[in-house]
């Protein structure tokens, strides 16, 4: 999931898919496929279903995901149609080690640790902490799933860029709410351990820093220009 972490913004759930992670499927080689969906997509879909069934996801977040699907197809038809029937080449090569490390860090900071934090909150009765962290995990998992759709659905490269940028921008606001909840959580009224209180704050700050850099330091100034250069370069050659 690049989570917009990276080019296409997905974060990888498996070592074999690490180059496609948060940084995005548009950035690396195509993910392994099981039928139409990749293993990464199925994992992210499972997280989405579990969080949705738990009642921790707001109607606004559901509406955002639905809107992203509709708008993605709209852009594909109106603004950025595919240059060819086959999928366009990725922006970054599959053997980019720095990108692979970046994607791995994104997966750990953005998904693995927050999911562990949510499960820990269930055992410690930290309902406030779970409620604050859940929207970020839900949207990031939805982003990973949508990135797979944009890749396997034959969408153009700009559409594959749209997904991580769109979701990363939205998740910045959910992380701000998570950070505010953790910082203003009164220790005297906190039901969980003091250690969990500090872990929650550190985790929220880490996600705020990482995803802000991912959006403003990677996706917008680096990935987006490269993707458009490839897309319009191919269109010019075709014309």
């Amino acid at each position: 999931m690049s989570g917009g972490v990276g080019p296409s913004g997905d974060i990888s759930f498996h070592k074999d898919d690490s180059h496609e992670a948060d940084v995005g499927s548009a950035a690396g080689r195509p993910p392994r496929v099981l039928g139409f969906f990749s293993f990464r997509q199925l994992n992210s879909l499972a997280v989405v279903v579990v969080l949705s069934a738990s009642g921790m996801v707001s109607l606004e977040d559901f509406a955002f995901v639905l809107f992203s699907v509709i708008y993605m197809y709209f852009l594909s038809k109106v603004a950025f149609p595919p240059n060819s029937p086959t999928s366009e080449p990725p922006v970054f090569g599959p053997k980019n080690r720095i990108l692979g490390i970046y994607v791995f860090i994104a997966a750990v900071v953005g998904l693995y640790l927050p999911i562990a934090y949510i499960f820990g909150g269930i055992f410690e009765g930290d309902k406030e902490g779970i409620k604050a962290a859940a929207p970020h995990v839900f949207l990031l998992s939805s982003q990973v799933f949508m990135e797979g759709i944009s890749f396997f659905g034959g969408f153009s490269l700009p559409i594959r860029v749209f997904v991580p940028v769109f979701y990363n921008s939205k998740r910045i606001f959910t992380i701000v709410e998570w950070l505010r909840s953790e910082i203003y959580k009164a220790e005297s009224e906190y039901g969980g351990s003091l250690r969990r209180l500090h872990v929650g704050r550190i985790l929220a700050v880490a996600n705020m820093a990482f995803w802000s850099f991912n959006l403003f330091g990677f996706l917008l100034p680096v990935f987006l220009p490269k993707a458009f250069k490839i897309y319009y370069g191919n269109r010019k050659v075709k014309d």
Side-chain angles (χ1 to χ4, degrees):
M1 332 156 230
S2 54
V5 151
S8 126
D10 341 322
I11 287 180
S12 169
F13 290 85
H14 295 276
K15 290 182 179 180
D16 292 341
D17 299 329
S18 61
H19 290 289
E20 317 153 25
D22 195 55
V23 178
S25 38
R29 55 181 168 72
R32 293 182 301 162
V33 182
L34 182 62
F36 178 78
F37 299 110
S38 69
F39 289 100
R40 183 183 58 192
Q41 281 182 279
L42 293 176
N43 282 332
S44 62
L45 182 60
V47 174
V48 169
V49 171
V50 170
L51 290 178
S52 301
S54 67
M56 293 187 288
V57 180
S58 66
L59 291 177
E60 289 80 2
D61 290 334
F62 275 118
F64 177 84
V65 174
L66 179 60
F67 174 75
S68 72
V69 175
I70 297 173
Y71 194 57
M72 182 177 73
Y73 278 92
F74 172 77
L75 287 179
S76 178
K77 297 296 183 181
V78 176
F80 304 108
N83 284 327
S84 64
T86 59
S87 181
E88 293 174 289
V91 175
F92 298 95
K95 295 184 179 181
N96 191 317
R97 291 188 176 183
I98 295 179
L99 187 62
I101 295 174
Y102 183 67
V103 165
F104 175 74
I105 295 174
V108 172
V109 174
L111 273 186
Y112 298 144
L113 292 181
I115 289 175
Y117 177 73
I118 290 175
F119 276 110
I122 296 176
F123 291 105
E124 294 195 28
D126 180 19
K127 295 181 179 180
E128 185 177 347
I130 295 175
K131 184 178 179 181
H136 161 69
V137 175
F138 170 79
L139 289 173
L140 184 52
S141 299
S142 299
Q143 175 186 323
V144 175
F145 184 78
M146 288 303 301
E147 285 179 352
I149 295 295
S150 68
F151 189 92
F152 293 115
F155 290 90
S156 64
L157 195 52
I159 301 300
R160 282 146 58 185
V161 176
F162 159 76
V163 174
V165 171
F166 193 55
Y167 275 85
N168 202 152
S169 300
K170 167 64 175 177
R171 286 190 294 103
I172 291 294
F173 294 99
T174 64
I175 296 174
V176 167
E177 293 300 321
W178 179 15
L179 183 59
R180 181 181 291 113
S181 174
E182 294 291 345
I183 291 178
Y184 292 103
K185 188 183 295 181
E187 297 184 13
S188 59
E189 302 175 359
Y190 179 59
S193 65
L194 186 61
R195 178 182 179 183
R196 176 175 170 80
L197 180 63
H198 294 317
V199 168
R201 290 173 176 174
I202 293 173
L203 191 56
V205 169
N207 273 276
M208 187 74 243
F210 186 91
W211 296 110
S212 294
F213 170 78
N214 185 66
L215 179 62
F216 298 109
F218 179 75
L219 288 178
L220 295 178
V222 178
F223 182 68
L224 187 62
K226 286 181 177 292
F228 277 114
K229 184 177 181 180
I230 294 174
Y231 176 76
Y232 285 110
N234 290 341
R235 170 170 288 188
K236 185 177 181 180
V237 171
K238 182 180 178 181
D239 294 340

